[in-house]
C-alpha cells in the first residue's frame, strides 16, 4: 500500500519506518524543512533506540517532503502532528491545518488520526476531509518507540466506516497484538484514560513517598510489597521527581479541561496534576536540607531528558528543578548523555560532579547506576532512587521516599 504520514515527530517517524519495513511505500510530510532535509540525508532528527537504523534500513520505501501534493495517490494517511496544550487546553490547530492541507489531494484515501485528540475531534476532521476517518491512538513510549510500534500491548481502531477500519486493522495485523474496534469517541477517550491512569499511579506513589520521608520508611519497600498484588502490578510504582515528557502533562491538562467544558470534573486526575506540580520544589528542598542555603552554591543536575534513552526534554522535571535552583541563587551545571538544555552549563559527567557542592540525580540513565564511589564527599539527592543508600554517607545523602 501507499501510506502518507503527516507530522514527522517520534510518532510519525516510528509509524512510517515500521510500515516501510513491512513493504509499504511511505511518504512522510512535515512543515519543518530542516527536518525533511535531514531525513532525506538519512538523518533522524530524534534519538530513540533503533530509529536511525530503521531509517537507513528501509530508506528505499521512504520519501520525505514538505509538499502535500505527494499525498495524491496514498491509500491511507496518518495524522501524527503535535497536539500541545495552550493555556491549559488542547490546541488542535495543527490537526485541522493538516486535514485542510491534505483535503484537495485525497481521492478515496483513509485519514487516520494517530495524534492524541479530545473526544469529538475526529468528527470535526470528518467535516473537513469526508467520511473515511479512523482514530488509531498511539501508545508508544519514548525510549522504546520502535519496539512498541512493532509489538504494542493492544491496538485501538475507532471507526464508523467499517471498511476503512478493516483496512487500518489489516495494516497492523502483522504485530500479532489484540486489536480492539471501537467508536471514534471511545478510541479518543481510551488514550486519555490510559495516560491519566498512569499519571495518577505515579502521583499516588509519590504522595506515599512524601509520608515515608516523614516517618522514616522507605517507599521502595512499600511499592515492592503492594506491587506484588496482581490487581495493583509493579509498574509505574517508582517514586521519583514526578512525571514529565511530551504526553502526561499535556494529556492530563487536556482531558481535565475538556471534562470541565462538558460539565464534569475529573477530580482524581486534577489532584494528580497538583501533586506532580509540587515535586520539583520538594527535590530542591531536600538539597537545601543538606546544604543549607543554596545561594551561590554550585549544583550539578545529572540528567535533563525527561526519561532515559531519549534526548527529549519537553516538560522535563529536571528543567523545572534547574529553574528553581537558579531562582534560589544556585549556579547550575548539568550533564546528560543525549539531551541538551541552555538553562544550565552543560559539562561532562566528571566535571559536573567534581565542580559542584550538591548533586541531584534527575534522570535514571544506566550510566548513573553504581556511581556511589564517584559521589564521595558530595551532598547528593537521589531523585530517582538508583543509588544504594547503604553505600552513601547518610549525613550527606537524601533520596525521594527514604526517611532518615
Ligand atoms: N511522544 C510520544 O511519546 C507520544 C506517544 C503517543 C502519542 N503521542 C501523540 O502523538 C502526536 C505526535 O507526537 P510527537 O511527540 O511525535 O510530536 P512532535 O511534536 O515531536 O512532532 C510533530 C511534528 O508535526 C509537524 N507538524 C506540525 N504541524 C504540521 C502540519 N500541519 N503538517 C505537517 N507537519 C506538521 C511538526 O513540525 C513536528 O515535526 C501528539 O498528539 C502526541 O500527543 C505522542
Amino acid at each position: 500500500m501507499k501510506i502518507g504520514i503527516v507530522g514527522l515527530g517520534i510518532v510519525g517517524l516510528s509509524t512510517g519506518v515500521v510500515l516501510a519495513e513491512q513493504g509499504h511505500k511511505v511518504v512522510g510530510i512535515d512543515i519543518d524543512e530542516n527536518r525533511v532535509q535531514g531525513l532525506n540525508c538519512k538523518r533522524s532528527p530524534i534519538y530513540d533506540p533503533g530509529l536511525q537504523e530503521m531509517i537507513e534500513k528501509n530508506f528505499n520505501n521512504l520519501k520525505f517532503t514538505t509538499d502535500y501534493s505527494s499525498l495524491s495517490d496514498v491509500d491511507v494517511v496518518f495524522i501524527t502532528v503535535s497536539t500541545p496544550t495552550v493555556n491549559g487546553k488542547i490546541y488542535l490547530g495543527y490537526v485541522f491545518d493538516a486535514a485542510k492541507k491534505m483535503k484537495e489531494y485525497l481521492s478515496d484515501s483513509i485519514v487516520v488520526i494517530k495524534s492524541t485528540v479530545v473526544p469529538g475531534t475526529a468528527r470535526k476532521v470528518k467535516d473537513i476531509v469526508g467520511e473515511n476517518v479512523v482514530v488509531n491512538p498511539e501508545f508508544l513510549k519514548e525510549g522504546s518507540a520502535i519496539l512498541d510500534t512493532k509489538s504494542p500491548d493492544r491496538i485501538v481502531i475507532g471507526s464508523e466506516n467499517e471498511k476503512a477500519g478493516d483496512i487500518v486493522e489489516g495494516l497492523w495485523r502483522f504485530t500479532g497484538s489484540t486489536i480492539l474496534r471501537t467508536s471514534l469517541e471511545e478510541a479518543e477517550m481510551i488514550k486519555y484514560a490510559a495516560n491519566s491512569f498512569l499519571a495518577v499511579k505515579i502521583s499516588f506513589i509519590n504522595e506515599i513517598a512524601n509520608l515515608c520521608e516523614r516517618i522514616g520508611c522507605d517507599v521502595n519497600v512499600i511499592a515492592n510489597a503492594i506491587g506484588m498484588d496482581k490487581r495493583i502490578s509493579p509498574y509505574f510504582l517508582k517514586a521519583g521527581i514526578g512525571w514529565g515528557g511530551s504526553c502526561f502533562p499535556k494529556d492530563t491538562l487536556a482531558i481535565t479541561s475538556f471534562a470541565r467544558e462538558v460539565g464534569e470534573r475529573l477530580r482524581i486526575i486534577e489532584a494528580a496534576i497538583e501533586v506532580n506540580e509540587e515535586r520539583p520544589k520538594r527535590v530542591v528542598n531536600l538539597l537545601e536540607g543538606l546544604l543549607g542555603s543554596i545561594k551561590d552554591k554550585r549544583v550539578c543536575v545529572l540528567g535533563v531528558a525527561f526519561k532515559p534513552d531519549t534526548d527529549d526534554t519537553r516538560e522535563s522535571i529536571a528543567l523545572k528543578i534547574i529553574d528553581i535552583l537558579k531562582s534560589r541563587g544556585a549556579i547550575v551545571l548539568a550533564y546528560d548523555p543525549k539531551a541538551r538544555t541552555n538553562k544550565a552549563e552543560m559539562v561532562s559527567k566528571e566535571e559536573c560532579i567534581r565542580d559542584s557542592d550538591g548533586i541531584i540525580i534527575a534522570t535514571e540513565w544506566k550510566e548513573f547506576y553504581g556511581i556511589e564511589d564517584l559521589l564521595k564527599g558530595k551532598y547528593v539527592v537521589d531523585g530517582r532512587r538508583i543509588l544504594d543508600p547503604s553505600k552513601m554517607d547518610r549525613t550527606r545523602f537524601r533520596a525521594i521516599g527514604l526517611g532518615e
Side-chain angles (χ1 to χ4, degrees):
M1 268 201 240
K2 186 156 178 208
I3 310 283
I5 306 277
V6 177
L8 301 173
I10 187 66
V11 171
L13 282 172
S14 304
T15 305
V17 297
V18 167
L19 291 177
E21 192 182 46
Q22 290 302 309
H24 302 290
K25 288 283 175 203
V26 175
V27 55
I29 294 183
D30 204 288
I31 43 173
D32 180 342
E33 277 181 28
N34 285 337
R35 184 161 284 225
V36 166
Q37 260 175 27
L39 281 163
N40 278 325
C41 300
K42 300 188 185 173
R43 262 200 323 272
S44 173
I46 301 162
Y47 172 74
D48 214 272
L51 178 58
Q52 175 65 40
E53 293 77 3
M54 283 288 280
I55 292 171
E56 289 168 20
K57 184 178 154 211
N58 301 298
F59 204 67
N60 282 344
N61 282 343
L62 291 165
K63 178 183 154 192
F64 301 102
T65 176
T66 54
D67 181 3
Y68 271 77
S69 71
S70 307
L71 293 177
S72 58
D73 54 350
V74 297
D75 302 294
V76 178
V77 53
F78 286 86
I79 297 182
T80 51
V81 298
S82 358
T83 48
T85 40
V86 177
N87 298 329
K89 281 181 62 176
I90 190 165
Y91 173 72
L92 290 166
Y94 299 120
V95 173
F96 297 140
D97 181 50
K100 283 177 196 150
K101 282 185 174 143
M102 69 177 64
K103 176 185 155 61
E104 63 179 292
Y105 302 108
L106 304 178
S107 37
D108 236 1
S109 330
I110 297 164
V111 176
V112 184
I113 304 175
K114 218 176 214 325
S115 296
T116 304
V117 294
V118 289
T121 307
R123 242 165 248 293
K124 292 181 185 154
V125 171
K126 264 180 143 183
D127 291 341
I128 302 171
V129 299
E131 282 306 303
N132 284 346
V133 172
V134 172
V135 177
N136 173 214
E138 181 54 62
F139 298 99
L140 68 76
K141 302 177 287 299
E142 288 180 40
S144 56
I146 299 293
L147 281 178
D148 292 347
T149 308
K150 284 185 180 178
S151 76
D153 290 340
R154 76 308 207 182
I155 289 167
V156 174
I157 295 177
S159 68
E160 283 181 336
N161 174 336
E162 203 178 327
K163 195 166 151 237
D166 289 347
I167 290 172
V168 179
E169 182 170 339
L171 276 180
W172 294 119
R173 207 166 286 128
F174 77 92
T175 60
S177 306
T178 302
I179 295 181
L180 304 166
R181 298 287 290 264
T182 70
S183 72
L184 296 170
E185 283 79 9
E186 282 160 353
E188 291 167 324
M189 194 58 216
I190 285 166
K191 174 67 188 172
Y192 282 105
N195 271 3
S196 301
F197 188 83
L198 294 172
V200 165
K201 207 170 169 191
I202 302 174
S203 280
F204 170 83
I205 200 69
N206 282 341
E207 275 210 314
I208 299 293
N210 293 348
L211 183 57
C212 285
E213 283 165 30
R214 204 167 279 272
I215 62 173
C217 291
D218 181 348
V219 71
N220 282 358
V221 174
I222 283 104
N224 180 46
I226 65 173
M228 286 176 185
D229 185 327
K230 288 188 191 68
R231 295 167 302 175
I232 296 175
S233 101
Y235 306 106
F236 278 70
L237 270 187
K238 186 99 197 278
I241 64 175
W243 33 272
S246 66
C247 289
F248 288 3
K250 86 172 173 63
D251 292 348
T252 47
L253 280 177
I255 200 62
T256 49
S257 65
F258 170 81
R260 277 179 183 251
E261 272 172 20
V262 299
E264 290 295 337
R265 273 193 67 194
L266 298 174
R267 284 163 296 181
I268 294 175
I269 306 174
E270 286 182 6
I273 296 171
E274 195 185 324
V275 169
N276 202 54
E277 280 168 354
E278 290 165 359
R279 298 310 286 164
K281 211 161 118 196
R282 279 191 82 97
V283 177
V284 176
N285 289 350
L286 283 179
L287 186 68
E288 270 190 335
L290 287 171
L291 281 172
S293 163
I294 54 171
K295 191 165 176 345
D296 297 327
K297 299 262 170 62
R298 296 169 74 85
V299 178
C300 155
V301 175
L302 287 180
V304 295
F306 84 93
K307 67 178 200 177
D309 293 324
T310 175
D311 57 0
D312 197 344
T313 59
R314 287 179 285 182
E315 294 291 322
S316 171
I317 305 289
L319 300 188
K320 296 186 198 305
I321 289 174
I322 293 174
D323 284 340
I324 297 170
L325 288 168
K326 290 204 301 200
S327 74
R328 295 188 191 175
I331 303 149
V332 187
L333 310 176
Y335 166 74
D336 190 285
K338 295 281 182 200
R340 296 286 165 268
T341 177
N342 52 19
K343 283 180 181 283
E345 189 187 342
M346 298 293 303
V347 294
S348 72
K349 180 170 66 187
E350 290 70 24
E351 283 171 282
C352 197
I353 295 170
R354 186 192 64 211
D355 297 344
S356 56
D357 307 294
I359 290 154
I360 294 175
I361 298 184
T363 313
E364 66 275 37
W365 284 97
K366 270 207 185 70
E367 63 178 81
F368 300 153
Y369 284 79
I371 59 169
E372 290 85 353
D373 278 351
L374 253 183
L375 300 173
K376 278 230 156 66
K378 300 289 179 181
Y379 291 94
V380 179
V381 173
D382 183 357
R384 294 293 185 178
R385 295 304 307 267
I386 62 175
L387 300 175
D388 179 350
S390 71
K391 293 184 180 159
M392 301 298 292
D393 172 356
R394 294 296 291 266
T395 63
R396 290 168 182 254
F397 176 67
R398 294 284 179 276
I400 291 291
L402 182 66
E404 289 169 52

